[in-house]
Amino acid sequence: MLDGRPRVRRLLRGLSIVVVIWYGVLFVYGFANFPMAPYRPCGAQSYCDKAGRQHPKADFDAFSQWERLFFISVPFGIAAAAVARKLWK
């Protein structure tokens, strides 16, 4: 697959770069928007962060969606980084 054909190498390199950038942006987004995560239930329709501050259910749902997307993206980010590294050797 990585046999040196210029078109295939260019395509794989481009896709790898896109996936690595996606993963990096996703990581920075989560770090910036949820600095005190993880959230946990601490009352009726209330969720607390690591510092004990309360957040509404909407914040908890947003964090849960980001977390799910982040963990689904982990294998793709690792694979893309490995392919990109192999292509640049």
Side-chain angles (χ1 to χ4, degrees), residues 19 21-30 34 60-78:
V19 171
I21 289 172
W22 162 260
Y23 189 65
V25 167
L26 191 62
F27 177 78
V28 170
Y29 171 83
F34 310 111
F60 176 76
D61 290 341
F63 170 72
S64 296
Q65 289 175 354
W66 170 82
E67 186 178 41
R68 191 175 312 114
L69 183 60
F70 183 77
F71 285 125
I72 288 170
S73 298
V74 167
F76 297 108
I78 292 171

Side-chain angles (χ1 to χ4, degrees), residues 1 8-10 13 19 24-25 27-28 30 32 34 42 45-46 48 51 55-56 60-61 64 69 74 76 86-87:
M1 185 169 177
V8 172
R9 286 180 66 91
R10 225 175 29 239
R13 185 179 297 158
V19 171
V25 167
F27 177 78
V28 170
F34 310 111
C42 64
Q45 296 295 328
S46 183
C48 295
H55 296 273
F60 176 76
D61 290 341
S64 296
L69 183 60
V74 167
F76 297 108
K86 188 167 186 87
L87 288 174

Side-chain angles (χ1 to χ4, degrees), residues 2-3 8 51:
L2 303 177
D3 61 358
V8 172

